[in-house]
Amino acid sequence: MTMDKPYLDVPGTTIFDADQSAKGYHLNQFCMSLMKPDNRARFIADQSAYLDEWELSPEQKQAVLDLDLNECIRLGGNIYFLSKIGATFGLSFQQMAGSMTGMTEAEYRDMMLAGGRSIEGNRIRDALAARIVEQGYAAPSPAAEAHPTISASVYTSHVPAIGAAMDLGKTEEPYWKAVFDGYEWSRQWMADNTPDVVILVYNDHATAFDLHLIPTFVIGTGPHFPVADEGYGPRPVPPVEGDPDFAAHLAQALILDDFDLTLVNEMAVDHGLTVPLSLMFGERPPDEPWPCKVIPLAVNVVQYPVPHGARCYALGRALRRAVESYDKPLRVQIWGTGGMSHQLQGPRAGLINREWDNAFLDRLISDPAGQAEVGHLNYVEEAGSEGIELVMWLIARGAMADIADDGGPGAGTTEVLHRFYHVPASNTAVGHLVLANHAAQDPASGPAAPTQE
Ligand code: DHB
Ligand code: FE
């Protein structure tokens, strides 16, 4: 991966990053189980038997049995998790830290009393010098040439009843046919332009996240995302395959770009994510995989404060920088989902504002920076309380090539391939756009196309 990891050269130090986390996932989760007294008692009674309940490698099991914390760390353990093993045996943090240094407990304690380990001889250059003496000098390999391209962005409502209509074979009924007709072109186009990865912006609807934890922006860094049971049983669609390596790269790039994403390795995905997949890829039995990988990007639009449009738009621009700095030539699409106008609550439920919705679509296409400045209250007042989902569309729009990093005009262009609007689906106005992305020096894209329809 393209991730810059200068921290690998800090001597005697392992930084717990996405690679380490993936390596040590089950080891660290085993450690967490020791937070419960019953589990500690079972572990102490028969360590091997307890360890066999966890998906650990033989090396990881042995490292735990040996209480070899250095080896546990090499195998993906993190010290805050591993400390639960030490705590189970009554060890202090000082005893645990000392056990990794090759010193006796007394020697380590004395070193700390004498002012601690010296920084002299413990800098990056010391580790590099030691490595050159050991292995000789190797020039850094040249940077890889191939990077992902964002080929398109897709925008769509994600009404759960649309998924139910597909799952229950009702798509030919007149009520639903009027909705699905608007996606026919898109399905054909998608079949001809299937991406390798979709970064799918959606909101979780009290499914993976409840009031226990309310992250503003979430990136799914895990390998699989099961289809959630939202109370009706899980939808009969395939589970979602992630792209942990690409997601870890995006997380690093975005977090270092000051977007404080929450990293989620395990999460069930709800209708917000699966209905757009069904709309764009059509019916698919659970055992036939979706045709591409999906990186979930969830946004809190449930409990206020929710991020404003300008923040979402800026995240989209940062997302493009992050995508384009990865070192595999992937075809990537960004999808923005939710909306359009709908209100699911209270005496104003059923609110639809066609004029506002269509002005939103116009502005999203030709003046996204202006739309990004529109405040929450305008969405709620004009498009209904759940119409606030539309701020998520600005993330996908911000990633397009006609927008510069600073939000001004970009060097590339964006072309409207498809636009659809229909009322109603359940309580909602359905809106749908497909925008092709023509990067500035993209030879495949042909002549620059206008941003207007
Ligand atoms: C509906 C729409 C949504 O976006 C949603 O998340 C739940 C329900 C609806 O119109 O029924
Ligand atoms: Fe929704």
Side-chain angles (χ1 to χ4, degrees), residues 21 25 202 204 208-209 213 215-226 242 244 247-248 251 255 261-269 295-298:
S21 176
Y25 189 80
Y202 76 110
D204 178 81
F209 306 108
L213 193 75
T216 302
F217 294 116
V218 168
I219 185 161
T221 46
H224 313 286
F225 302 98
I255 290 170
L261 304 188
T262 299
L263 312 182
V264 175
N265 289 318
E266 266 184 40
M267 111 181 131
V269 288
I295 297 179
L297 206 169

Side-chain angles (χ1 to χ4, degrees), residues 270-293:
D270 72 11
H271 68 268
L273 185 135
T274 64
V275 167
L277 289 174
S278 294
L279 276 169
M280 297 307 292
F281 294 126
E283 270 89 0
R284 209 160 266 266
D287 56 356
E288 187 187 323
W290 296 112
C292 64
K293 293 180 172 179

